[in-house]
Structures are given as structure tokens and as C-alpha cells.
Amino acid sequence: CAAFELLLQMAPLSDLERMTQCPQSGGSSAQDLIRTAVTTGNGTGFVTRGKFTEAMDLSLDVLSLVEVEVQFNLLLSNVDIWLTGQSQVPSARRMAPEIGATGTAGAPLNARASLQLRLGAGQHQLRVLHEPTLQGTASAASFSGATAGCVPLAIGVRHVPWRRDSGGTPVVVSSSITTPLSYASDL
């Protein structure tokens, strides 16, 4: 059996300019947003639009469950997250993020990509890829990067220790208990 979700967002092309306006203070860099998320757990802002791949360095003291979530606007962005070291693995076998809807259709952040992993103690690097979804299309020529603009993004980084010495069975409870597991993972 296969299960999938279909996410669809429609908006008038005239809304694109308004949706991609930077705040008066200007857009922040993706690197600053990721640094804030790693330090505080959450980073939200308007990022200068365009394609980027940024590294996210995590330092863990113990075996942990780690979740990285990027919220974005489905009409404006395409997002991917992966653990570095898996980049040489064929894309069909690489752990992919779960993509789903969040908030409301009219909200600036209405989709999310969530990667949940069990990582050992040490240094780990994840990569976040952002691509504009409308770049290069004839109907969105003004959106394709000829003029400055921003897209809304929110990044959350959460991790909890995976304790095996407690004598009991660890239980993880969250609003979405859909954790992708590799073959032969022991819970």
C-alpha cells in the first residue's frame, strides 16, 4: 500500500508581489535564521528569496531524538532537509522529510517539511535547501528574481535525550507521531 497527501494552493498572480514584499527592515539571510534556530530552538523571518543550501551544525551530548522543521509558503517555496553524509546515498534511499500542511491556507506559513532522526552523541550537520517554486515560469517573470523580494520561513530545532538507562521503555509524545524509521530500527 502507498499513502500520500496532495497539497494545493491557488492565488491570483497579482498577489505574488504583495506576498514577497520584504519588511521595512529588510530580509534576513538564511544563515542568520538557521543560526538563531540552532541557538534558541526557533527562527522566524523573511528571507531574501532565491535558491540556497545552508548547513546546520548540531552538537549533541548524548544519543537524542532530533526534529528539524522548516515552515514555508507552499506557493512560494520548495524545501528539502537532509543529514550530511547521506548526500552520497541514492535519493530513493535517503531519509526524506515529511511534508505536510500547517496553519491555514491563507497564512504566510502554510506548509512544513519535518525531518526526525535518532542521532548519537557528537557533531552532526544537516542541510536545508530552499528553491523558489515559481522561478523561471513565464507567468511569473517579475517573480523570477529580477527584483528584490523575500519569502517567509520558520525553522524549529528540537532534540530530547534518548535514554536507555531508565529501565523502562522510552515513549515520545507529540502532536504528530509520524516518525520515519529506517529498516531494522529498534524502539
Side-chain angles (χ1 to χ4, degrees):
C1 293
F4 63 92
E5 292 182 30
L6 174 65
L7 301 176
L8 179 66
Q9 179 180 354
M10 297 185 307
L13 283 174
S14 59
D15 284 356
L16 289 178
E17 187 174 331
R18 183 181 52 79
M19 292 170 68
T20 58
Q21 279 184 336
C22 293
Q24 286 187 337
S25 60
S28 59
S29 73
Q31 189 176 39
D32 289 342
L33 192 65
I34 287 173
R35 190 174 313 132
T36 300
V38 170
T39 304
T40 66
N42 290 299
T44 303
F46 288 87
V47 176
T48 305
R49 72 177 173 217
K51 182 177 180 177
F52 65 78
T53 302
E54 290 291 336
M56 178 183 299
D57 295 315
L58 298 177
S59 179
L60 301 172
D61 296 329
V62 296
L63 178 67
S64 300
L65 293 175
V66 176
E67 179 182 53
V68 176
E69 180 178 86
V70 179
Q71 293 183 7
F72 57 98
N73 187 289
L74 185 64
L75 184 64
L76 304 176
S77 301
N78 183 32
V79 172
D80 192 10
I81 313 165
W82 69 93
L83 180 64
T84 302
Q86 289 187 323
S87 60
Q88 302 304 319
V89 175
S91 60
R93 293 181 46 211
R94 180 172 62 87
M95 183 67 73
E98 174 190 346
I99 307 291
T102 187
T104 63
L109 300 170
N110 58 15
R112 64 171 175 72
S114 178
L115 183 63
Q116 300 162 335
L117 302 165
R118 186 178 61 170
L119 298 174
Q123 301 292 325
H124 301 279
Q125 188 176 76
L126 291 97
R127 297 256 179 205
V128 176
L129 168 73
H130 172 271
E131 295 177 304
T133 55
L134 299 177
Q135 187 167 345
T137 61
S139 61
S142 64
F143 179 76
S144 67
T147 59
C150 294
V151 293
L153 286 179
I155 301 175
V157 179
R158 295 173 281 286
H159 56 89
V160 293
W162 180 273
R163 297 191 50 154
R164 291 186 177 196
D165 60 352
S166 63
T169 302
V171 176
V172 178
V173 178
S174 71
S175 57
S176 174
I177 192 113
T178 55
T179 304
L181 299 173
S182 59
Y183 178 74
S185 292
D186 61 332
L187 292 175

